[in-house]
Amino acid sequence: MKKYIIISGVPRAGKSTVSKLLAKQFGYQHLSMDSVLAGVESVFPETGIRTDAETDEPENIKKISGKLAPFIQKMIDSGEYDECDYGVVIDVYQLLPEDYVQHIDSSVCEIHYFLTSDVTPEERYEILKRYDSPADYTYYKSEAENRDACREMVEISRIIKEQCGRFHLPCYETAYNREKVIKDFLWKLKDV
């Protein structure tokens, strides 16, 4: 495994679960980019990052991803963790494969995407309900808002899956066997 591991993908596909388990099992530090982005959005509005933008979500993801990928690379370049024995797992939603490939050094950082692309928006809504908790922002949204978001999550998953195929990046479908996919993924990392 590399010093930096990015776990990306759509909400409720298991990326935060994987990131936390990876950190615990392998001694990596867990960094949630959702928290970092919330701070940047709040304190530096001039960046134009709006995670709750009233725009088309796929377009908003593209905008954020284009700014976030170079930011992550600068964090890596800072050398903050170079002398540490442990690595860093970065948990992030808004990072598209095309921006990872363009901006992030794959010799020190690997990425894995967790998606729910092989479902209908209605099936995606059932997944959201199954895994939603008070710790999740979607827990406090209306049913109509979450149904709209699920349509967008399926679309974004398909965009990411297509880009992963184009750039030969690993992606994992968690729509049907989430727990098994996560378990198999972590088991595979033990052999690396």
Side-chain angles (χ1 to χ4, degrees):
M1 291 189 317
K2 296 186 178 171
K3 183 88 171 178
Y4 298 91
I5 300 175
I6 297 173
I7 303 296
S8 191
V10 296
R12 282 348 133 250
K15 69 184 180 319
S16 294
T17 299
V18 168
S19 297
K20 290 172 186 172
L21 288 169
L22 198 152
K24 184 176 181 182
Q25 289 182 13
F26 297 99
Y28 275 56
Q29 179 171 335
H30 176 247
L31 176 62
S32 169
M33 286 307 293
D34 287 345
S35 298
V36 173
L37 282 177
V40 168
E41 182 177 6
S42 176
V43 177
F44 303 109
E46 65 272 15
T47 64
I49 291 177
R50 296 272 322 275
T51 56
D52 64 346
E54 296 295 322
T55 62
D56 177 67
E57 184 68 5
E59 284 303 312
N60 196 36
I61 295 296
K62 289 177 186 177
K63 181 180 176 183
I64 293 172
S65 179
K67 294 178 180 186
L68 187 58
F71 178 81
I72 290 172
Q73 184 58 51
K74 290 298 182 187
M75 287 173 49
I76 292 169
D77 290 344
S78 75
E80 182 69 27
Y81 298 100
D82 288 352
E83 296 177 7
C84 299
D85 291 336
Y86 55 84
V88 179
V89 60
I90 302 168
D91 172 1
V92 61
Y93 162 41
Q94 300 96 338
L95 181 60
L96 293 172
E98 63 190 7
D99 291 313
Y100 167 80
V101 168
Q102 182 176 354
H103 296 286
I104 298 178
D105 181 358
S106 63
S107 71
V108 295
C109 181
E110 63 186 88
I111 193 164
H112 302 273
Y113 284 92
F114 289 80
L115 311 170
T116 54
S117 59
D118 296 340
V119 294
T120 66
E122 183 57 39
E123 290 169 319
R124 180 64 171 85
Y125 179 70
E126 293 303 317
I127 292 167
L128 178 109
K129 286 191 334 187
R130 185 177 327 130
Y131 293 105
D132 221 11
S133 76
D136 300 312
Y137 70 91
T138 51
Y139 186 83
Y140 302 98
K141 301 249 182 201
S142 72
E143 181 178 340
E145 288 173 310
N146 280 330
R147 286 187 182 279
D148 286 343
C150 286
R151 279 189 287 282
E152 293 172 333
M153 289 308 112
V154 171
E155 181 182 350
I156 291 165
S157 284
R158 290 176 180 163
I159 290 167
I160 292 171
K161 185 176 183 178
E162 182 276 322
Q163 288 186 16
C164 282
R166 190 168 9 125
F167 296 113
H168 309 290
L169 296 173
C171 67
Y172 307 88
E173 178 64 49
T174 63
Y176 299 108
N177 297 307
R178 177 179 151 146
E179 289 79 12
K180 182 178 180 342
V181 170
I182 290 171
K183 182 179 176 183
D184 290 349
F185 170 76
L186 292 169
W187 182 259
K188 183 177 124 183
L189 283 184
K190 285 182 183 180
D191 294 335
V192 175

